[in-house]
Amino acid sequence: MSANSQNKSIDSSANDSNRIKLKYGLRVGTDIGRLARTFLDDTYTGFEIMADYRLKEKLYIAGEIGIEEKNTINDYLNITTKGSYIKGGIDLNMYENWLNMDNMIYAGFRVGASTFSHDLNSFAVYSIDQFWAPQLTSTAKQEITGLTAFWAEIILGLKAELFNNLYIGLNVQLKIAVSETIPNNFENVYIPGFGKTYDSGAIGAGYSYFLAYRIPLYKKVK
C-alpha cells in the first residue's frame, strides 16, 4: 500500500509539471523605425501604433494605425503627401517556444486602407525638344484632397520577449495595391501606409521595427 501510494504521488507530480500557463492579453506598441526616420530624415514624418490580441495558442488578431507625411522631390516633381491609414488582419506563430518562453516567428496577412492628400509644390513638363524650347515649369502650389487607396499585405516577422511582457520585433511586408484614387494629370508617387508606388506598379514593400508591451488579462493552461 505504501509503494502504491508513492507511485500515485509521483504520477500526479509529473502530470502537474506538464501543465503550462499561456499568457493572453492585448499587446500594444509603436514603430520605432518611423520615429527614428522622423528625426533623421527632413523629408519624412510618421507615427504608427500597432496592437495584437491572442485568440488561440498560435493565432493572433492584429492591426496598425498611423499617420505619414512625405516630401518627394525629383527632377520634374516636388510634392508633399500626407494622410492616415489603418490595417487589420491576423498573425500565425510558426515558432515552438521552449518552457517559459513567449517568442514569435510569424506570418501575417493585412488589409489596408488610406485617406490622403497631395500638395503639388512645383512641377516641370518634359519637353522632347530640349535644345529649342525650354521646359514648362510651374511653382503655383496646388492642393489635391479626398484621395483613397486600398491594398493587401503579406508579412513575415519575429517578436522576442526582452523582459516580462516587454517585446521587441521587426517584420517585412509585401504589398499589393487593389485600388486607388488617381489625381488628374499625374499619378500617386507615395501613399501613407503603403509607401512608394514604384512608377504606378501594383507591388510595394515595407518594413517595421517596434517595441510593444502586453497588458496581461488572463492565462490559459496548456
Side-chain angles (χ1 to χ4, degrees), residues 28 40 92 96 109 112 127 132 136 173 193 211 215:
V28 181
L40 299 175
L92 180 63
E96 191 66 37
F109 176 79
S127 174
W132 297 107
L136 173 63
Q173 310 140 18
L211 279 174
I215 305 169

Side-chain angles (χ1 to χ4, degrees), residues 17-194:
S17 68
N18 291 333
R19 295 166 65 86
I20 306 168
K21 289 185 177 181
L22 301 177
K23 300 177 183 178
Y24 283 71
L26 179 65
R27 182 163 42 195
V28 181
T30 186
D31 187 334
I32 56 178
R34 278 183 167 80
L35 292 178
R37 187 179 175 189
T38 297
F39 286 105
L40 299 175
D41 188 349
D42 293 335
T43 67
Y44 178 85
T45 301
F47 179 74
E48 179 182 283
I49 295 175
M50 55 78 62
D52 66 22
Y53 183 82
R54 194 176 205 166
L55 296 177
K56 295 183 178 181
E57 179 184 347
K58 293 184 176 295
L59 182 64
Y60 296 73
I61 185 171
E64 296 82 26
I65 186 170
I67 57 172
E68 283 190 309
E69 182 175 328
K70 178 70 171 69
N71 186 214
T72 302
I73 303 173
N74 56 39
D75 293 337
Y76 301 99
L77 196 64
N78 183 326
I79 183 171
T80 302
T81 304
K82 50 189 174 183
S84 59
Y85 62 91
I86 186 170
K87 300 187 288 184
I90 59 171
D91 289 335
L92 180 63
N93 187 14
M94 300 179 292
Y95 180 71
E96 191 66 37
N97 280 290
W98 295 5
L99 183 64
N100 295 325
M101 291 178 61
D102 191 19
N103 301 323
M104 291 179 64
I105 298 176
Y106 66 95
F109 176 79
R110 300 284 190 278
V111 174
S114 176
T115 60
F116 59 101
S117 64
H118 295 310
D119 288 337
L120 184 56
N121 304 312
S122 65
F123 67 91
V125 178
Y126 179 77
S127 174
I128 297 177
D129 191 350
Q130 295 283 328
F131 184 79
W132 297 107
Q135 293 180 342
L136 173 63
T137 61
S138 174
T139 56
K141 186 175 180 179
Q142 302 178 38
E143 185 177 7
I144 304 162
T145 60
L147 304 176
T148 60
F150 300 90
W151 67 92
E153 290 184 10
I154 298 173
I155 299 175
L156 292 175
L158 61 88
K159 297 177 184 178
E161 189 174 25
L162 294 176
F163 305 102
N164 188 31
N165 293 319
L166 181 65
Y167 297 82
I168 190 170
L170 62 89
N171 63 48
V172 292
Q173 310 140 18
L174 176 65
K175 307 166 188 276
I176 303 172
V178 177
S179 68
E180 61 181 288
T181 307
I182 299 178
N184 293 329
N185 301 323
F186 73 96
E187 297 177 345
N188 297 313
V189 295
Y190 194 90
I191 297 173
F194 183 89

